[in-house]
Amino acid sequence: MKDEKSKKKKTVSLRKKSVSVVLLATVVISLITVSVSGIFYTKHIFEHYKRLSEQLADTAASMMSAEDISRYYTEVKKITPYDDDKYNNDEAYRAAYDKQANALKDEKYQQMLETLFVFADESKNRNDIEYIYVQVIEGNQVTYIFDADHTDEQYQLGTVRPVSDEIRNKSGLENGIPAFVSNNPDDGWLCSCMRPIKDAKGKPVALVGVDISMSRVVYLGIIYIVTLIAIVLFISCLLIFLILRGVEKSLVKPINQLSSAARSFVEDKGEELNKESTISTLNINTGDEVETLWKSIRHMEQDINDYIVHLTAVTAEKERIGAELGLATRLQADMLPNIFPAFPDRKDLDIFAMMTPAKEVGGDFYDFFLVDNKHLAMVMADVSGKGVPAALFMMMSRILIKNAVMSGNTPADALMSVNNQICANNREEMFVTVWLGIVDLKTGLLSAANAGHEKPIVKSPNGDFEVVNDRHGFVIGGMEGLKYRNYDIQLQKGSKLFLYTDGVAEATDANDELYGIERTLDALNSCKDEKPKAILEAVKASVDSFVGDAPQFDDLTMLCFEFEGEENELTIDAKLENVEKAIDFVAEKVGKMPFSLKEKNRIEIAVDEIVSNVARYAYGDGVGEVNIRVESDDEGMTLTVTDSGIPYNPLEKEDPDVTLSADERGIGGYGIFIVKNTMDKIDYEYSDGKNILIIRENFKK
């Protein structure tokens, strides 16, 4: 009961709200009226005076002789430099300076000054000219040539003043100073303008300045605004009274009846769905919108009854669709590689990808997979359209592309095969743009083909990200029988590849401005030395910051691949304590090859024997280096051991007679003997001052 009473106390009647709304509307209209009138008046008057000041300045400029003014200015600069403090406080200095300046005032000078005085006097009564003068602005100083001022404050020829803050950042001598309005305590409101005086060649030599007093105009404007406010307030009060009388009769009373009837309708429906409500028993004949509202509410009763009946079924169906869309989103995300690092056991590559659909499910997709132990395939694609149809087409395209690549096709042949398959059953005429590349993880050679997709962006190890202008073919699904072309990109250790869909470059902000490829390159190069994951996160953050609150219209999909290569060489000091490092290095490389455990052990023993011999004998009492290089191919493994020690061919050493006893055989010669008898092939050469021992072990089929 307490809660109900407190709610009733907080309720505001429609009558009070009507009064508040009408009063607020009146105040707003009054403010708008006064503001618009004031702005219009001010703008109109200010623009008028700006044009007037420009016209007067142009007229005064036409009366002046540019050649004479230029001459006066040149002569003025030759006399004693002007010092304002001395001029005002040192009578002797002032007399000397005036004497030199007055000597320059010839007959032409007096004529032009008199012309300015006449022009100013004639214009003062009509146009309220306050000041008119001629000056030269050079650097931060103003030098006066003429000043048509009858008062004691007249500036004499050669008077120098600093440039005021009002005109310091405005236009210069070439175009003059555009008209502007200012207000200061000394002169009040002024409209000022400066126009250039140009010589016969059109070169400006000085500025004519005109200051028009606007104090009287501003005062009249204030009177106008105050009068307007008084009139608007009077009319507003009268309108408030009349409107409230009408609202009470034609709106408040009928709406109160409707409110009471609607409340009864809600309470009745809680007890019995089909019970006739108070709304149906009302009879409102106001002949306006209130009567229409009553009829609409009465008709709404039937609609509400039907809505209540079907609401549960509709809600259940909506929840089912939402659940299925959520499942589709998860299924689509699960179909794409999404566990990173993708190849944790491989150190020759790093890859990361992300996709942000514009809807619950999207048409973009990426893919990457190992074709074999030394080849990685990468796919970036964009299906036409959005939503569930695009997602279904995407899944089909992804499967077809992967199957074509795993069948041993080149990128171009794979795209041709997929295009023919899709075109054969493409009733909906959908299409997909695809970039497909296969990189050799041993050599870094990237072979790729492009079916109408965005151009890839590649970064060299010590360079910036740059767009690769590759060869484009037609989209997949557009026309059957098309052929695509392969092209190669040689990646070096540390090179990076960035793939993306048009959702990146065509991301749009609230002003319909595109993110663009230049911003994409800037974002990439701002973090070019980071790992692929950090690079994509930085680009995504840059795009999100650019787009802001604007809605996402297209899927945003990106992939970044870094070719790290495989370290297949080790250089160490030829010391016995470093032999273990050589064995561990070779063991790591051989461990990834299809050798049996017994074969791996034999290779490690061979490395132990060879590197130990180099450490003991190659450099005598000195210390040098030994280089171990491991290379593999489809047939087997090649191990190359190189040193710069004493020339020595171990293959020329006679094999020990293993039939003799240990005492009879003596010491030495067994290491190379073991290597020769356990490895498939062993060769030696001496080149460029280096001993080069090459052993070969083939894969056993």
Side-chain angles (χ1 to χ4, degrees):
M1 293 296 293
K2 272 188 176 182
D3 291 341
E4 292 181 1
K5 288 182 179 179
S6 62
K7 289 181 181 178
K8 289 181 180 178
K9 289 179 181 178
K10 294 178 181 178
T11 301
V12 181
S13 66
L14 182 59
R15 183 181 293 102
K16 292 181 179 179
K17 289 183 178 180
S18 300
V19 172
S20 301
V21 169
V22 173
L23 183 60
L24 179 61
T26 302
V27 172
V28 171
I29 292 173
S30 301
L31 291 175
I32 293 174
T33 302
V34 172
S35 300
V36 171
S37 300
I39 292 172
F40 178 79
Y41 176 86
T42 303
K43 181 178 180 181
H44 176 75
I45 292 300
F46 279 19
E47 289 300 323
H48 169 74
Y49 271 84
K50 286 180 180 180
R51 289 194 299 271
L52 178 61
S53 64
E54 290 176 353
Q55 292 171 0
L56 292 173
D58 284 335
T59 302
S62 66
M63 300 176 181
M64 300 290 101
S65 171
E67 289 72 14
D68 290 329
I69 291 174
S70 179
R71 176 168 55 83
Y72 297 140
Y73 178 65
T74 302
E75 294 299 326
V76 162
K77 292 202 301 185
K78 295 179 181 179
I79 67 177
T80 303
Y82 180 83
D83 187 316
D84 193 52
D85 291 336
K86 285 186 177 182
Y87 189 86
N88 293 323
N89 301 316
D90 189 335
E91 185 175 347
Y93 173 83
R94 180 167 61 253
Y97 189 87
D98 287 345
K99 182 178 180 180
Q100 294 179 76
N102 290 332
L104 301 177
K105 298 179 181 179
D106 55 12
E107 184 177 353
K108 288 186 177 181
Y109 181 89
Q110 297 297 340
Q111 288 176 354
M112 283 192 285
L113 180 60
E114 184 62 27
T115 300
L116 282 180
F117 272 119
V118 172
F119 179 74
D121 293 341
E122 290 179 351
S123 302
K124 186 171 185 66
N125 294 329
R126 295 198 308 269
N127 303 313
D128 292 330
I129 283 186
E130 192 74 16
Y131 306 110
I132 183 168
Y133 43 86
V134 176
Q135 60 186 20
V136 177
I137 299 177
E138 186 173 24
N140 291 323
Q141 286 188 336
V142 175
T143 302
Y144 281 83
I145 307 299
F146 298 106
D147 184 12
D149 186 357
H150 291 286
T151 67
D152 293 337
E153 297 177 356
Q154 178 188 34
Y155 289 144
Q156 299 298 325
L157 172 63
T159 302
V160 178
R161 287 287 182 270
V163 176
S164 66
D165 294 336
E166 292 178 330
I167 66 173
R168 187 184 305 277
N169 297 322
K170 299 184 183 295
S171 184
L173 188 63
E174 182 71 24
N175 301 311
I177 307 299
F180 63 95
V181 177
S182 61
N183 182 24
N184 58 73
D186 296 330
D187 301 315
W189 288 89
L190 292 176
C191 180
S192 304
C193 174
M194 295 185 187
R195 306 295 283 182
I197 300 173
K198 298 182 179 181
D199 59 17
K201 296 181 179 180
K203 179 182 178 181
V205 298
L207 297 174
V208 173
V210 172
D211 296 337
I212 301 178
S213 175
M214 295 183 63
S215 299
R216 183 171 60 87
V217 174
V218 172
Y219 174 75
L220 293 176
I222 295 173
I223 298 299
Y224 165 76
I225 296 298
V226 171
T227 304
L228 181 62
I229 292 174
I231 295 172
V232 169
L233 288 177
F234 174 76
I235 296 175
S236 299
C237 293
L238 181 61
L239 288 175
I240 289 174
F241 175 76
L242 296 176
I243 290 173
L244 289 179
R245 289 291 299 272
V247 166
E248 175 69 23
K249 182 178 180 181
S250 61
L251 185 63
V252 175
K253 183 177 179 181
I255 286 182
N256 283 336
Q257 291 177 333
L258 280 175
S259 175
S260 177
R263 186 166 53 253
S264 299
F265 170 75
V266 174
E267 294 171 354
D268 293 342
K269 291 307 175 189
E271 300 173 358
E272 187 176 348
L273 183 62
N274 296 317
K275 180 180 179 181
E276 185 178 14
S277 70
T278 311
I279 296 176
S280 301
T281 62
L282 287 177
N283 186 19
I284 298 176
N285 297 308
T286 58
D288 54 18
E289 287 82 358
V290 177
E291 182 179 349
T292 303
L293 175 63
W294 166 65
K295 292 179 180 179
S296 298
I297 293 176
R298 189 174 61 180
H299 180 71
M300 186 179 62
E301 286 181 323
Q302 298 301 323
D303 295 338
I304 290 176
N305 290 335
D306 295 338
Y307 175 77
I308 293 174
V309 170
H310 297 289
L311 178 60
T312 303
V314 171
T315 302
E317 180 68 12
K318 185 176 180 181
E319 291 176 351
R320 182 186 66 81
I321 294 174
E324 290 182 355
L325 280 175
L327 178 60
T329 302
R330 294 193 297 274
L331 287 175
Q332 184 184 36
D334 292 341
M335 282 196 65
L336 304 180
N338 56 70
I339 298 176
F340 299 98
F343 307 104
D345 296 332
R346 300 194 67 117
K347 298 182 179 179
D348 53 351
L349 66 95
D350 189 7
I351 193 167
F352 191 80
M354 63 170 59
M355 183 181 74
T356 306
K359 293 187 175 182
E360 288 83 357
V361 289
D364 284 7
F365 72 92
Y366 66 85
D367 199 5
F368 55 85
F369 50 89
L370 287 170
V371 181
D372 53 41
N373 192 50
K374 58 181 287 190
H375 290 92
L376 175 74
M378 292 174 286
V379 182
M380 182 61 64
D382 186 358
V383 175
S384 60
K386 299 289 178 290
V388 174
L392 294 175
F393 194 81
M394 176 273 283
M395 289 187 281
M396 177 188 69
S397 302
R398 175 180 175 270
I399 294 171
L400 292 176
I401 292 172
K402 186 170 184 177
N403 289 340
V405 173
M406 296 302 293
S407 298
N409 290 305
T410 65
D413 292 339
L415 292 182
M416 182 175 67
S417 173
V418 173
N419 179 61
N420 290 335
Q421 293 179 70
I422 289 179
C423 288
N425 298 284
N426 192 11
R427 296 181 181 179
E428 300 301 323
E429 298 183 349
M430 297 185 72
F431 63 87
V432 56
T433 65
V434 181
W435 184 94
L436 170 61
I438 301 175
V439 61
D440 188 326
L441 297 174
K442 299 294 183 183
T443 65
L445 182 63
L446 172 65
S447 179
N450 194 328
H453 196 72
E454 304 295 319
K455 298 175 181 178
I457 299 176
V458 175
K459 175 193 175 296
S460 60
N462 298 316
D464 291 337
F465 278 97
E466 296 180 352
V467 177
V468 177
N469 291 315
D470 61 356
R471 302 172 179 176
H472 274 210
F474 199 54
V475 297
I476 300 295
M479 184 183 301
E480 191 172 2
L482 293 176
K483 292 185 178 181
Y484 298 88
R485 292 181 293 180
N486 289 312
Y487 66 91
D488 295 333
I489 300 175
Q490 181 61 57
L491 301 179
Q492 305 297 327
K493 178 178 172 60
S495 294
K496 293 185 178 73
L497 170 70
F498 177 73
L499 305 175
Y500 57 101
T501 59
D502 57 3
V504 177
E506 295 180 7
T508 307
D509 65 4
N511 298 320
D512 290 333
E513 183 180 356
L514 296 180
Y515 184 72
I517 195 66
E518 292 300 327
R519 288 190 178 90
T520 304
L521 289 173
D522 290 342
L524 288 169
N525 288 320
S526 68
C527 56
K528 61 184 179 181
D529 296 326
E530 299 292 337
K531 287 297 183 181
K533 180 180 179 181
I535 290 175
L536 295 194
E537 289 174 345
V539 174
K540 178 67 165 55
S542 176
V543 172
D544 291 343
S545 175
F546 173 81
V547 172
D549 296 331
Q552 180 183 345
F553 290 107
D554 202 356
D555 303 337
L556 188 68
T557 307
M558 299 178 289
L559 180 147
C560 186
F561 164 77
E562 181 177 6
F563 176 64
E564 298 182 346
E566 185 175 356
E567 292 290 347
N568 59 352
E569 266 187 62
L570 174 67
T571 301
I572 56 176
D573 289 339
K575 297 180 179 179
L576 289 176
E577 57 263 32
N578 289 335
V579 173
E580 193 67 30
K581 293 181 180 179
I583 296 173
D584 292 342
F585 172 74
V586 175
E588 180 186 358
K589 303 303 176 185
V590 174
K592 302 176 183 178
M593 302 177 189
F595 288 115
S596 66
L597 180 60
K598 185 177 180 180
E599 291 167 338
K600 293 176 182 178
N601 288 334
R602 290 205 303 264
I603 295 171
E604 292 177 19
I605 291 172
V607 173
D608 188 355
E609 294 294 341
I610 295 171
V611 177
S612 296
N613 283 339
V614 174
R616 288 189 179 98
Y617 309 116
Y619 295 100
D621 295 333
V623 177
E625 292 182 338
V626 59
N627 177 272
I628 302 98
R629 183 180 182 87
V630 181
E631 298 175 292
S632 65
D633 51 39
D634 294 336
E635 301 295 328
M637 179 273 302
T638 301
L639 177 67
T640 305
V641 180
T642 305
D643 68 80
S644 302
I646 302 169
Y648 174 70
N649 184 356
L651 303 183
E652 295 178 349
K653 183 177 178 61
E654 185 178 351
D655 293 339
D657 188 352
V658 295
T659 62
L660 299 177
S661 65
D663 293 336
E664 293 174 322
R665 290 197 300 265
I667 301 173
Y670 291 99
I672 195 64
F673 174 74
I674 293 173
V675 175
K676 286 194 291 185
N677 284 275
T678 55
M679 298 293 101
D680 290 331
K681 185 179 180 181
I682 181 168
D683 293 312
Y684 169 84
E685 64 176 287
Y686 187 80
S687 177
D688 295 330
K690 295 181 180 179
N691 295 299
I692 303 173
L693 186 65
I694 304 171
I695 63 175
R696 174 76 181 180
E697 182 72 4
N698 296 324
F699 301 135
K700 304 300 185 289
K701 298 182 180 179

